[in-house]
Amino acid sequence: MKRLLDNARNFRHRVAPESETFRRFAAGQTPGTLFVSCSDSRVIPALITGAVPGEVFELRNAGNIITPYDADHSCAESATIEYAVEVLKVRDIVVCGHSHCGAVGAVANDADLSSLPSVAQWVSGCRPALAPMLGSPVEDLTLSKFVQRHVVAQLENLRTYPKVREAIEAGRLQLHGWYYRVDTAEVLELDELNGVFNRN
């Protein structure tokens, strides 16, 4: 913790050459992309994408789960999506799942989460999309097939949001699905037309 705190205290000195850039942040933000990813400490959006401060608006939670739109029940995810699309006018939304995902793995392996009731309730949102695959053996620790199917389902959930649907129909928003391997740093992108993740 001391190293993190020392770095935080010295941050302004380390970015001094870019101080004008940081001063401009007082006027607001104009990120072009909403990046939805897992809270996993191995998944760092700015590191993966090379994004600079102000370029990417982030939504992170356990399992990069996007709850389907519900007009009667808002949550942090729905508020972030609504703000990104309607106020910030992001042009792209990336849903980035990753290999070795604990949330998806818990569902795929039918893990006993009785001692973690909040986690159990949260990851249960993964179950419907993964249902056809459940009960079959998990091939390897990367969970690639499960995570990739999960990413597709989150994109489907995104499309249930009226603001997202309106922006897509107006041609000002595109959705993207990514699969990131934490052990190789490889990123695959979803080809929605063919339903496969490609290296490109």
Side-chain angles (χ1 to χ4, degrees), residues 182-197:
V182 300
D183 55 336
T184 65
E186 182 178 32
V187 174
L188 306 183
E189 183 179 14
L190 173 64
D191 175 351
E192 286 200 85
L193 189 62
N194 297 306
V196 295
F197 284 75

Side-chain angles (χ1 to χ4, degrees), residues 21-22 33 75 79 82 87 97 124 142 171:
T21 298
F22 282 82
T33 300
C75 62
E82 186 177 272
V87 178
S124 68
T142 68

Side-chain angles (χ1 to χ4, degrees), residues 79-195:
T80 301
I81 292 163
E82 186 177 272
Y83 187 81
V85 173
E86 191 65 11
V87 178
L88 298 177
K89 307 289 187 190
V90 296
R91 297 176 300 280
D92 297 280
I93 300 178
V94 174
V95 177
C96 181
H98 69 93
S99 68
H100 309 83
C101 180
V104 173
V107 175
N109 293 301
D110 196 24
D112 178 8
L113 298 175
S114 56
S115 65
L116 301 167
S118 295
V119 173
Q121 182 179 2
W122 179 249
V123 301
S124 68
C126 304
R127 194 169 297 280
L130 299 179
M133 304 170 70
L134 298 179
S136 59
V138 177
E139 294 178 359
D140 59 60
L141 292 174
T142 68
L143 300 163
S144 60
K145 290 181 181 175
F146 287 90
V147 172
Q148 290 173 12
R149 174 63 195 121
H150 174 65
V151 167
V152 170
Q154 303 323 297
L155 292 172
E156 291 168 1
N157 287 347
L158 261 177
R159 291 186 176 95
T160 67
Y161 286 74
K163 297 296 184 185
V164 170
R165 201 166 48 247
E166 289 168 16
I168 291 171
E169 290 170 359
R172 65 176 182 85
L173 178 67
Q174 291 188 331
L175 306 184
H176 312 269
W178 289 9
Y179 170 73
Y180 172 66
R181 276 199 58 158
V182 300
D183 55 336
T184 65
E186 182 178 32
V187 174
L188 306 183
E189 183 179 14
L190 173 64
D191 175 351
E192 286 200 85
L193 189 62
N194 297 306

